[in-house]
Amino acid sequence: MAMTRPFTATSVISAVTISTLLVGCSASANVEKSEPKLSADKLATTLAQKLAAATGQPTPDVTCPEDLTGKAGTTTRCTLTTGDGSTLGVTVTVSSVDGNQINFDFEADDKASPAS
């Protein structure tokens, strides 16, 4: 017999709220190398802080699989995990680079994936 995990309305609403508020958001981060690159950990931390500020919610768990190269147009995908284990993809796109500062936009997916 297959068992399903119930969703809480709060988690679904939070995920929808986050994705609604994140359309067209942007951020920037300073890096300390001659070839600008933002580490995956620093990108995840910056995104989590920006998401918390934009939604008024606690800082979410965000993971990014790779460093972000400081070249306009470069993209990567990060994952936001909610308290109930559901996930929401976040696309990060470098908008510009100013010296060692990488400016980027981020947008959450429209729909969260249920917890497994």
Side-chain angles (χ1 to χ4, degrees), residues 54-67:
T55 62
Q57 299 290 318
T59 305
D61 178 25
V62 176
T63 57
C64 300
E66 61 190 5
D67 295 346

Side-chain angles (χ1 to χ4, degrees), residues 5-98:
R5 189 173 181 181
F7 285 101
T8 62
T10 304
S11 296
V12 173
I13 291 170
S14 294
V16 170
T17 301
I18 289 171
S19 68
T20 302
L21 291 173
L22 294 182
V23 176
C25 292
S26 63
S28 63
N30 287 318
V31 292
E32 300 295 329
K33 295 183 178 180
S34 59
E35 178 184 83
K37 195 172 263 199
L38 186 59
S39 74
D41 289 338
K42 187 167 183 176
L43 176 58
T45 299
T46 302
L47 273 177
Q49 292 168 347
K50 296 295 181 183
L51 292 169
T55 62
Q57 299 290 318
T59 305
D61 178 25
V62 176
T63 57
C64 300
E66 61 190 5
D67 295 346
L68 183 63
T69 302
K71 180 179 178 186
T74 301
T75 63
T76 191
R77 293 274 296 165
C78 297
T79 303
L80 179 151
T81 303
T82 63
D84 73 347
S86 59
T87 59
L88 190 65
V90 181
T91 300
V92 178
T93 305
V94 175
S95 55
S96 64
V97 179
D98 184 18

